[in-house]
Amino acid sequence: MSYLSGRQQSIPAMTSAVRLLLARRLIVKIGSALLVDAQTGEICGPWLESLIADIVRFFSRGQQVIIVTSGAVALGSSQFNSLGRSLRIEQKQTAAAIGQVRLMLAYEQSLKRHGFALGQMLLTNEDIEDDHRRFNAWSTVQELLKLGAVPVINENDTTATAETCIGDNDQLAARVAEMANADVLVLLSDVDGLFTEDPHDNPLARLVTEVRCITPKIEAMASHSHACHSSGGMVTKLMAARIAMDAGCGMVIARGTEPYPLAAIEHGAPSTSFVPQAKRKIYTRET
Ligand code: GLU
């Protein structure tokens, strides 16, 4: 099911698989729910291994991947005997400080097995809003990629305040996609994509396979969807889509709950593909 308007109907659709295969630079966003076992509070090791194997395959084809990952708060929450949901803000920040180290160690070990180094970057909204700081961040991303190191980005939860934080990594990933002039942003979720209604409530709900414009009708679908249990939910995913599409970057929402989630998209797994709207904005000089 695809939502088109006017002249757009004549433009052939690009599937999520093609979007991934043709991308020169991709941003892959991984949520806590996929990465951290809800029962044990530990990293889902085999799943992470499969994801990294997928990402390494992109690099071997000459494509660049930047990871935006959550998981710091969930991993550090065991210090408070909680999985993050009922912590006070300062406890969450403390959990993030502890969990971020565990998170990066897990990525580092996994990437190292394939001969890749990792570069950790912690960003805030202010870093992305400020031209000078955004330029420095982008320069670092480029140098890491030149060195064969994978940039792994999270929000700097310990310094971001409630008023200034981006707050969810869906939008952070979209801002990174905009900064990096990425071709596609992949949001791995616990559902197949955007549904017309919550598929748990209504078995007749249909997956929207392509979105070319975020209309009020599309927004209504997201607000009625309780199917996505990650912290951001479908509403923040649409906010991310708006940022990415406006920056000329396509976006894909797909299920990431099974191993090798990117390979699954390439092999045609169900997903929602968001079509880039505008000419990309060039924020920073490419070296
Ligand atoms: N930055 C948070 C963390 O690492 C996650 C925010 C989000 O999931 O959107 O735990």
Side-chain angles (χ1 to χ4, degrees):
M1 172 176 211
S2 175
Y3 279 83
L4 308 178
S5 68
R7 179 178 75 77
Q8 295 175 324
Q9 297 193 18
S10 58
I11 304 170
M14 194 195 277
T15 64
S16 298
V18 173
R19 217 168 266 296
L20 260 62
L21 286 164
L22 294 183
R24 181 183 49 106
R25 185 174 298 134
L26 303 90
I27 312 296
V28 178
K29 184 263 170 177
I30 300 129
S32 309
L34 300 177
L35 196 57
V36 183
D37 186 307
Q39 306 302 320
T40 64
E42 300 293 330
I43 290 265
C44 303
W47 183 85
L48 179 61
E49 290 298 329
S50 79
L51 174 84
I52 296 299
D54 268 355
I55 287 175
V56 165
R57 201 181 54 256
F58 280 91
F59 276 103
S60 69
R61 295 197 299 235
Q63 297 169 284
Q64 294 179 334
V65 181
I66 299 166
I67 298 173
V68 174
T69 187
S70 306
V73 173
L75 284 171
S77 295
S78 56
Q79 299 296 126
F80 298 97
N81 295 321
S82 156
L83 286 177
R85 304 219 182 272
S86 55
L87 296 179
R88 295 193 312 275
I89 182 77
E90 61 275 20
Q91 289 178 315
K92 275 194 183 173
Q93 289 174 318
T94 309
I98 293 167
Q100 181 65 21
V101 180
R102 296 183 186 157
L103 186 62
M104 289 304 107
L105 275 174
Y107 275 101
E108 187 181 44
Q109 282 167 4
S110 192
L111 284 164
K112 205 172 170 183
R113 278 192 264 283
H114 297 273
F116 281 82
L118 162 154
Q120 171 192 260
M121 295 179 63
L122 294 174
L123 300 178
T124 60
N125 205 19
E126 283 150 338
D127 296 326
I128 290 171
E129 294 291 326
D130 180 87
D131 284 350
H132 193 69
R133 286 156 74 161
R134 187 179 57 247
F135 178 76
N136 287 343
W138 173 224
S139 301
T140 307
V141 167
Q142 288 181 97
E143 289 301 320
L144 285 168
L145 290 168
K146 270 193 221 159
L147 282 175
V150 181
V152 183
I153 301 176
N154 195 357
E155 183 160 18
N156 192 347
D157 294 313
T158 58
T159 62
T161 62
E163 294 74 34
T164 63
C165 68
I166 299 171
D168 70 84
N169 276 5
D170 293 331
Q171 289 180 83
L172 171 65
R175 301 303 304 270
V176 170
E178 181 183 41
M179 172 181 86
N181 287 331
D183 303 295
V184 60
L185 162 63
V186 182
L187 299 184
L188 293 176
S189 178
D190 55 4
V191 287
D192 290 338
L194 175 70
F195 281 83
T196 51
E197 287 173 68
D198 189 332
H200 295 133
D201 292 345
N202 183 353
L204 296 177
R206 279 163 301 155
L207 178 71
V208 179
T209 52
E210 186 177 75
V211 175
R212 296 196 177 203
C213 183
I214 301 184
T215 59
K217 195 171 169 183
I218 293 286
E219 280 172 337
M221 289 176 193
S223 63
H224 294 140
S225 169
H226 308 292
C228 179
H229 295 109
S230 62
S231 67
M234 209 40 86
V235 171
T236 62
K237 285 180 176 40
L238 279 199
M239 289 172 171
R242 207 183 280 283
I243 296 168
M245 289 160 87
D246 282 353
C249 175
M251 193 180 101
V252 171
I253 303 176
R255 180 179 290 279
T257 47
E258 300 302 319
Y260 303 100
L262 300 177
I265 302 171
E266 289 177 318
H267 290 112
S271 65
T272 304
S273 171
F274 294 80
V275 180
Q277 289 288 301
K279 242 175 93 182
R280 66 178 77 240
K281 296 175 203 158
I282 305 294
Y283 273 86
T284 43
R285 186 163 38 89
E286 300 233 10
T287 54

